[in-house]
């Protein structure tokens, strides 16, 4: 015969195994375009994660805007060595593999 604590533990494990996984986050991809630039934006749960700017007119390289995560920002900066800003920081890729 099983002890009450063992039965309680087995019941908790069985109900935990049957619980549904959390729903997938809402992912949005938007593209804004005019005659000079194309801007591709990736949002997860309504928060911008990646913004890529592609220049159509000149030979300037594409660049990415690193969006600051407001939830992880400290009082002194972003924690990544980049200055604190409301809009993000431009980053150019030097090497592609």
């Amino acid at each position: 015969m099983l002890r009450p604590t063992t039965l309680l533990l087995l019941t908790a494990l069985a109900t935990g195994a049957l619980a549904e996984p959390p729903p997938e986050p809402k992912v949005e991809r938007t593209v804004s375009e005019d005659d000079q630039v194309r801007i591709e934006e990736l949002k997860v749960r309504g928060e911008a994660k990646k913004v890529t700017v592609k220049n159509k007119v000149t030979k300037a390289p594409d660049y990415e805007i690193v969006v600051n995560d407001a939830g992880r920002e400290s009082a002194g900066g972003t924690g990544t060595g980049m200055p604190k800003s409301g809009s993000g920081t431009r980053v150019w890729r030097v090497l592609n593999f």
Side-chain angles (χ1 to χ4, degrees):
M1 186 160 158
L2 295 174
R3 293 184 175 173
T5 55
T6 307
L7 285 174
L8 184 61
L9 179 62
L10 288 174
T11 305
L13 289 174
T15 56
L18 297 177
E20 293 183 23
E24 291 293 318
K26 181 180 178 185
V27 177
E28 298 176 65
R29 295 178 194 271
T30 57
V31 176
S32 302
E33 193 169 353
D34 65 7
D35 4 339
Q36 297 182 1
V37 294
R38 175 184 173 103
I39 302 171
E40 299 172 357
E41 183 177 16
L42 172 68
K43 286 186 179 183
V44 179
R45 294 185 181 105
E47 183 179 333
K49 293 293 182 182
K50 182 178 179 180
V51 179
T52 305
V53 180
K54 297 180 180 184
N55 196 336
K56 293 179 171 181
V57 177
T58 65
K59 299 288 182 182
D62 302 345
Y63 63 92
E64 185 176 324
I65 299 175
V66 177
V67 182
N68 295 335
D69 187 4
R72 296 185 183 196
E73 216 170 81
S74 66
T78 61
T80 59
M82 294 183 282
K84 188 174 179 179
S85 170
S87 59
T89 305
R90 289 182 300 266
V91 177
W92 282 268
R93 295 192 186 274
V94 177
L95 299 173
N96 287 329
F97 293 95

